[in-house]
Amino acid sequence: QKEVEQNSGPLSVPEGAIASLNCTYSDRGSQSFFWYRQYSGKSPELIMSIYSNGDKEDGRFTAQLNKASQYVSLLIRDSQPSDSATYLCAVNSGYSTLTFGKGTMLLVSP
Amino acid sequence: ETGVTQSPTHLIKTRGQQVTLRCSSQSGHNTVSWYQQALGQGPQFIFQYYREEENGRGNFPPRFSGLQFPNYSSELNVNALELDDSALYLCASSLATSGGETQYFGPGTRLLVL
């Protein structure tokens, strides 16, 4: 059973702080990793994809991947109240099949 | 906006009924995946269609079935609805090349079974 684990939160950070979201996965054969943001009542929206070990930066977002530790993280710098949402970690372990974690709720207070 | 559309947006059915949900993929995408998201959970993979054939299935019973059409749009059919089928149903489209492609989600259909 392929599993993706996330802390459900909520993770509370003040505006302007760095939010750190973490995810572990069970399938060592996983090749592609994604972070989606989901606002309440809406569908998931892609934030980042990462395929290789190391860091990948896109604006205020940085994804980090460590395949040896089976660990993926997402850092959000200068957090804004509009970043308050549930963040879903997704792992591709088969041909275009995504396995999702339950998501971490992030609350950014003004 | 991802360019993926779904209909209807909301639906109320009673136990035992049948439902059909529809999805139009993003232009240029040839693969459609369907997910079920229960309240407070992450999306769970139902199945995927590629070139009109089922290309993988999650742990869902046969009463969940689907179709993909030549224009790559897709339908999800659920027979003999149960109360636990109440969820957000998400369609995601992608362009299949070598696997691991990014999937883009539509707005979802919220199904309530009474």
Side-chain angles (χ1 to χ4, degrees):
Chain A
Q1 179 85 7
K2 298 169 185 172
E3 293 182 347
V4 176
E5 299 287 341
Q6 295 182 256
N7 188 321
S8 61
L11 171 66
S12 295
V13 300
E15 184 174 356
I18 296 175
S20 177
L21 304 160
N22 305 313
C23 169
T24 58
Y25 59 94
S26 63
D27 184 358
R28 282 197 171 275
S30 300
Q31 296 294 320
S32 309
F33 307 86
F34 305 88
W35 283 99
Y36 288 85
R37 176 175 64 196
Q38 187 172 29
Y39 293 111
S40 181
K42 302 294 186 183
S43 66
E45 170 194 6
L46 179 72
I47 298 177
M48 297 278 289
S49 60
I50 187 166
Y51 303 93
S52 304
N53 279 328
D55 296 359
K56 179 181 177 182
E57 188 174 317
D58 183 359
R60 296 187 295 114
F61 299 97
T62 299
Q64 299 174 318
L65 173 61
N66 184 327
K67 289 186 179 179
S69 301
Q70 294 174 247
Y71 177 90
V72 194
S73 66
L74 179 70
L75 300 178
I76 306 175
R77 289 181 299 282
D78 188 24
S79 294
Q80 300 297 308
S82 58
D83 294 326
S84 298
T86 295
Y87 289 79
L88 296 164
C89 173
V91 175
N92 175 275
S93 300
Y95 193 76
S96 296
T97 300
L98 291 179
T99 302
F100 283 84
K102 292 184 178 180
T104 299
M105 182 182 292
L106 172 66
L107 298 175
V108 182
S109 53
Chain B
E1 294 293 329
T2 62
V4 182
T5 61
Q6 291 186 245
S7 63
T9 55
H10 295 83
L11 206 50
I12 300 175
K13 292 286 188 179
T14 56
R15 197 169 45 181
Q17 285 189 310
Q18 178 265 342
V19 68
T20 297
L21 310 182
R22 294 177 175 84
C23 171
S24 291
S25 59
Q26 185 176 126
S27 177
H29 284 183
N30 57 11
T31 301
V32 172
S33 303
W34 286 92
Y35 294 84
Q36 180 196 67
Q37 187 176 24
L39 205 59
Q41 303 293 316
Q44 289 214 320
F45 175 70
I46 303 175
F47 45 56
Q48 180 184 88
Y49 278 85
Y50 170 65
R51 291 185 176 177
E52 302 178 56
E53 298 282 336
E54 189 179 285
N55 184 43
R57 187 178 184 93
N59 189 25
F60 280 82
R63 60 188 184 84
F64 285 78
S65 63
L67 283 174
Q68 187 179 33
F69 300 99
N71 67 353
Y72 304 123
S73 66
S74 177
E75 287 183 354
L76 164 65
N77 299 289
V78 187
N79 294 322
L81 283 166
E82 300 177 359
L83 297 179
D84 285 349
D85 295 333
S86 296
L88 179 66
Y89 287 84
L90 296 162
C91 162
S93 81
S94 56
L95 175 62
T97 54
S98 58
E101 295 81 17
T102 302
Q103 297 187 15
Y104 298 91
F105 284 89
T109 294
R110 191 163 298 280
L111 172 64
L112 178 61
V113 182
L114 301 176

